[in-house]
Amino acid sequence: MGRPAPEWAARRAARLTADVERLRDRPAPASLVVAGADDRVELHTLGTGRRPRAALAVGTASTLGTAERYAVHSAIALLTLTTERSRSLQAAEARIGSAVLRMLLAGEPDHARAVAGDLYGELLDAPFRLVVAEAAGPAEAAGDAAGAAEGAWSAGLVDAVESAAARFGEALLVVPYGERLVLLVADGGAAQLAAVEYAAFVDAGRADGREQAEEPGPLMGLSAPAGPIAAASAYKQAEQSLSVARRRGRCLVEHEELAAGSVLPLLADDAVRAFADGLLRALRDHDATGRGDLVASLRAWLSRHGQWDAAAADLGVHRHTLRYRMRRVEEILGRSLDDPDVRMELWLSLKATSTPTD
């Protein structure tokens, strides 16, 4: 329902919500009479589709006469025309927005600008950011592009960013992208701030347990500022941030956090641990036989950047013993410790599989 008029009608309209929902379940056109203690309300569906888009509520003291009935029917016809026209315009804007985004991601910024025109052109004339959002769990993900933007997981986000953009006159691009939702927002603008604030609200709800199952909120990744030429890179940044948000159980992660942070927390990923266990398994199996301590020796040698004397002193062995152990590491792994890539992989594997006491 739209805004009630006159002012007192707002209180009455709030009590009609359940009746409007019942009416929407009926094939259009449909109507319903709700009799109250002091008044009588007629509800009429608006729209020509199978499911009505809105409802008109007409309050009367008694049954409408012929003249009043004609007036109501005329209002229904005009409001239906306006509703359907608005719906068609929104659908056309959505198609243009989808085309603009796909051209940007395909590396065709000039074509994207031409299609954007006055509708989205200002977004491409200044730095923007991409937000990639998805449902917090697979069961909540929308099944197709049309459903993604209307899913419960994204409704709050879309409402927050669209309201903020409208208040400040900002252009905003919201595009269903498979089971995801992609937002193109002005860098530092009201829509970006609204997305960040909405994420903070969702995280706070998850923390204190007040998040509702029917509206679980999304997971989001936010790119660094970019221009049309770098849109594809910005999308990858947003995807990387989204992956981290999913792993950390947060609603939103900004790409700047990843660049400013440490790579070490990312080693907790199951795939990284599996790789590390596989790489070091042969060394651990060797040590389990009591024929040496190759893993600890390798860790000491790498931590000392290959300095034999310093690493041997840390281990309390002669440097010749350490040299022998490192040759055994190379033989068992079939890799050369002279290769910096090998040393990097081994060090990260040791970090990924280390315990707090290591």
Side-chain angles (χ1 to χ4, degrees), residues 1-354:
M1 290 183 296
R3 178 173 297 178
E7 191 70 27
W8 58 265
R11 296 187 297 275
R12 184 71 176 92
R15 299 197 296 271
L16 297 173
T17 302
D19 297 303
V20 171
E21 289 301 320
R22 277 197 300 133
L23 187 64
R24 293 182 66 185
D25 291 334
R26 301 181 182 180
S31 60
L32 181 68
V33 175
V34 181
D38 303 317
D39 59 4
R40 175 182 179 278
V41 177
E42 288 191 9
L43 296 174
H44 299 270
T45 58
L46 302 175
T48 58
R50 182 175 57 86
R51 183 173 172 81
R53 302 286 294 178
L56 171 66
V58 181
T60 64
S62 59
T63 303
L64 294 176
T66 301
E68 291 88 354
R69 182 71 57 193
Y70 280 136
V72 169
H73 286 172
S74 297
I76 292 172
L78 289 172
L79 289 171
T80 294
L81 180 62
T82 301
T83 300
E84 293 302 319
R85 183 174 295 167
S86 174
R87 183 181 180 186
S88 297
L89 288 173
Q90 290 175 355
E93 288 183 6
R95 287 194 293 271
I96 293 173
S98 179
V100 169
L101 176 66
R102 292 176 189 279
M103 289 177 182
L104 287 173
L105 297 185
E108 300 177 355
D110 292 338
H111 290 163
R113 284 182 180 277
V115 172
D118 294 334
L119 193 58
Y120 300 112
E122 66 180 85
L123 260 176
L124 308 185
D125 292 333
F128 58 75
R129 293 181 185 242
L130 284 177
V131 179
V132 176
E134 66 178 25
E140 299 148 2
D144 52 40
E150 298 179 0
W153 66 269
S154 62
L157 169 64
V158 173
D159 182 64
V161 296
E162 287 186 342
S163 298
R167 283 197 306 272
F168 290 88
E170 288 182 5
L172 169 69
L173 199 56
V174 179
V175 180
Y177 202 65
E179 293 185 350
R180 291 174 169 178
L181 200 67
V182 178
L183 287 70
L184 196 154
V185 300
D187 176 38
Q192 177 188 331
L193 180 60
V196 173
E197 290 178 344
Y198 176 76
F201 172 79
V202 171
D203 282 338
R206 289 172 179 165
D208 63 23
R210 60 180 165 80
E211 180 187 62
Q212 299 298 313
E214 62 271 16
E215 190 174 338
L219 297 173
M220 294 183 280
L222 178 64
S223 76
I229 296 177
S233 296
Y235 184 83
K236 290 180 181 178
Q237 291 175 354
E239 277 194 316
Q240 292 166 352
S241 302
L242 173 63
S243 178
V244 176
R246 189 187 307 115
R247 185 161 47 244
R248 296 180 181 175
R250 289 172 51 188
C251 183
L252 181 144
V253 168
E254 300 185 33
H255 193 262
E256 284 89 342
E257 294 181 48
L258 308 185
S262 169
V263 73
L264 296 182
L266 303 181
L267 300 182
D269 185 89
D270 289 341
V272 176
R273 285 183 178 274
F275 170 83
D277 286 335
L279 181 60
L280 299 174
R281 183 180 300 115
L283 299 181
R284 296 189 189 282
D285 289 346
H286 173 277
D287 290 349
T289 65
R291 291 178 294 168
D293 198 353
L294 300 186
V295 173
S297 298
L298 176 63
R299 180 182 292 108
W301 185 75
L302 291 173
S303 69
R304 288 294 189 174
H305 310 290
Q307 298 177 23
W308 297 104
D309 290 339
D314 290 341
L315 293 167
V317 300
H318 196 277
R319 65 177 180 274
H320 293 316
T321 301
L322 181 58
R323 286 181 183 274
Y324 169 76
R325 290 179 181 179
M326 292 302 96
R327 284 198 299 272
R328 289 290 294 139
V329 168
E330 290 181 318
E331 292 170 1
I332 292 173
L333 295 180
R335 299 189 179 200
S336 172
L337 293 178
D338 291 332
D339 187 334
D341 289 339
V342 171
R343 294 198 299 271
M344 176 193 68
E345 289 181 355
L346 288 169
W347 179 248
L348 292 179
S349 295
L350 289 168
K351 299 296 287 187
T353 57
S354 64

